[in-house]
């Protein structure tokens, strides 16, 4: 049976494809969702793809993932660099969590070089654009299957 992986996207990622295309490319979040649905089919995963601009909602979704999912892929957006609450919520999970960034945060402004999420994450993918989402699903599939919901 397919296990469930939450794919959570944080603030401003709903704007992808409309602005900042030099950094993030012209791909939209809807394109990424479609790409994830295709990868999920191939990997026999059930994916639940969400985006929010609210920190508390991301935290509620992480708690929900702890109850009903076998893994989480999260692009926390700018909360990556500010949120101890996200750090704590991810730390409380026993399912694998992959932190994902479209851009290479280490090649950008210095305020993006620190992540509060990374020390709590199982693994990190950054700088590979939209392809990172497919790679994250490929990486989490065996771990999520072992975790098994
Ligand atoms: O590279 C990533 O995926 C980021 O998580 C994207 C965040 C940024 O704050 C992180 O440092 C790295 C930004 C999300 C998208 O922001 C947009 C803003 C305007 C127009 C389009 C996207």
């Amino acid at each position: 049976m397919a296990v469930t992986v939450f794919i959570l996207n944080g603030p401003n990622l709903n704007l992808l494809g409309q602005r900042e295309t030099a950094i993030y490319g012209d791909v939209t979040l809807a394109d990424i969702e479609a790409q994830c649905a295709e990868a999920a089919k191939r990997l026999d995963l059930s994916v639940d793809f969400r985006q929010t601009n609210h920190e508390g909602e991301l935290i509620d979704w992480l708690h929900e993932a702890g109850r009903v999912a076998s893994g989480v892929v999260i692009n926390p957006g700018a909360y990556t660099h500010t949120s101890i609450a996200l750090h704590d919520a991810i730390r409380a999970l026993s399912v694998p969590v992959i932190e994902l960034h479209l851009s290479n945060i280490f090649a950008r402004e210095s305020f993006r070089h620190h992540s509060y999420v990374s020390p709590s994450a199982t693994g990190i993918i950054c700088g590979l654009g939209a392809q990172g989402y497919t790679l994250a699903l490929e990486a989490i599939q065996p771990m999520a299957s072992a975790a098994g919901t």
Side-chain angles (χ1 to χ4, degrees), residues 16-148:
L16 282 178
Q18 298 172 30
R19 304 222 177 110
E20 305 268 33
T21 51
I23 298 170
Y24 302 114
D26 56 11
V27 71
T28 66
L29 200 61
D31 294 333
I32 293 175
E33 182 172 7
Q35 177 196 304
C36 287
E38 219 169 276
K41 219 181 201 177
R42 172 169 59 82
L43 295 165
D44 193 28
L45 292 172
S46 166
V47 294
D48 192 333
F49 191 98
R50 304 178 187 185
Q51 188 274 331
T52 180
N53 292 319
H54 305 280
E55 185 177 12
E57 190 157 35
L58 271 181
I59 289 159
D60 287 343
W61 288 348
L62 286 165
H63 294 174
E64 184 185 343
R67 295 190 300 272
V68 306
S70 300
V72 176
V73 175
I74 182 165
N75 183 344
Y79 291 139
T80 306
H81 318 297
T82 62
S83 180
I84 298 169
L86 268 185
H87 170 103
D88 289 343
I90 293 170
R91 235 186 142 67
L93 291 179
S94 50
V95 296
V97 177
I98 296 188
E99 175 187 353
L100 167 73
H101 301 285
L102 293 157
S103 63
N104 178 355
I105 56 175
F106 302 103
R108 300 184 61 192
E109 304 97 322
S110 58
F111 62 81
R112 295 185 204 275
H113 295 181
H114 178 262
S115 167
Y116 281 101
V117 171
S118 297
S120 304
T122 310
I124 306 154
I125 292 174
C126 85
L128 300 175
Q131 192 194 359
Y133 283 80
T134 305
L135 296 172
L137 289 177
E138 286 169 354
I140 210 166
Q141 197 272 343
M143 294 186 264
S145 298

